[in-house]
Amino acid sequence: MLTAWLWSLIPTFVLAVPTTTVYLHRTVTHRALALHPIVEWWFKFANWISTGVDPAVWAAVHRKHHAYSDIEIAPDKRDPHSPWLEGFWHIQLGNVWYYLTELRKHPETLTMFARDILNRRTWWDRHVFRRGWMGLSCGTALLCLALGVQSFLDH
C-alpha cells in the first residue's frame, strides 16, 4: 500500500504537470492554445494551489529564456534558467528559484516580456492568483486535510 506522502504526490503532479505544460507554457506564454474561460479559470486555480507561480512571471521569464536560449550576452541579457549556464540539476531541482531570482535582479523582465499578460489581468488575477504563497498555503492545507482524513479513516 502506498504511504500517505506518496498519495500526496499524485494530486500534486496531476495538477502541476498539465497546468505547467498546457496552461503556463502553451496557453499563456506562447498563445498556441485558446481555452474556454471556465477551463482557463480552472487552470489558474490549479496553478495557484499546486505551484503558486504568477502566470505573468512564469511567461516573462520563459519568454526571456527563448530570447536568449543558453547564452549570456550581458548580465541582463541572458537565459535566466539555462541548464547549460547553470547546470542541469540546478535547473531541474531549483527552477522556481531561478524564476524568482530573475525578477529580483531584473524586475524589468516582467514588463518587457509579459506586458500583454499584465494588461489582460482579471480581478481574480490581480487579487487572488498572483498571491502565490496564499495559493500554496491553501493547497498544502487541502493536502494535509485529505491526508488527515485518510489517516483517521485508516484507524
Side-chain angles (χ1 to χ4, degrees), residues 13 23 46-47 125:
F13 283 113
Y23 177 66
N47 176 63
D125 298 320

Side-chain angles (χ1 to χ4, degrees), residues 3-92:
T3 60
W5 70 268
L6 192 54
W7 277 113
S8 71
L9 292 177
I10 294 169
T12 303
F13 283 113
V14 166
L15 286 176
V17 171
T19 297
T20 301
T21 57
V22 174
Y23 177 66
L24 292 174
H25 194 239
R26 300 288 186 264
T27 305
V28 179
T29 303
H30 297 298
R31 291 203 205 175
L33 182 64
L35 301 173
H36 185 279
I38 293 171
V39 175
E40 186 169 4
W41 188 92
W42 167 250
F43 271 119
K44 288 178 183 182
F45 179 76
N47 176 63
W48 184 65
I49 64 169
S50 65
T51 69
V53 174
D54 181 343
V57 168
W58 199 95
V61 174
H62 194 70
R63 286 172 176 175
K64 188 171 182 177
H65 157 75
H66 281 288
Y68 302 105
S69 290
D70 298 326
I71 61 170
E72 179 172 11
I73 297 169
D76 64 330
K77 293 180 179 170
R78 71 184 306 270
D79 186 337
H81 64 107
S82 165
W84 288 103
L85 298 174
E86 307 296 342
F88 177 80
W89 288 111
H90 285 263
I91 297 303
Q92 291 303 308

Side-chain angles (χ1 to χ4, degrees), residues 106-121:
H106 306 288
E108 70 279 1
T109 296
L110 188 58
T111 53
M112 261 173 95
F113 288 93
R115 180 168 294 148
D116 59 322
I117 298 163
L118 296 172
N119 290 337
R120 287 193 328 260
R121 284 188 187 240

Side-chain angles (χ1 to χ4, degrees), residues 93-154:
L93 300 175
N95 205 15
V96 172
W97 169 260
Y98 287 95
Y99 275 69
L100 297 174
T101 300
E102 171 63 26
L103 268 287
R104 186 176 44 77
K105 288 182 179 178
H106 306 288
E108 70 279 1
T109 296
L110 188 58
T111 53
M112 261 173 95
F113 288 93
R115 180 168 294 148
D116 59 322
I117 298 163
L118 296 172
N119 290 337
R120 287 193 328 260
R121 284 188 187 240
T122 65
W123 182 91
W124 282 96
D125 298 320
R126 290 188 307 273
H127 300 313
V128 179
F129 297 137
R130 65 181 291 252
R131 302 182 195 299
W133 288 107
M134 189 168 72
L136 281 175
S137 297
C138 289
T140 302
L142 286 171
L143 277 176
C144 289
L145 179 67
L147 293 174
V149 168
Q150 178 193 6
S151 178
F152 177 76
L153 294 175
D154 287 346

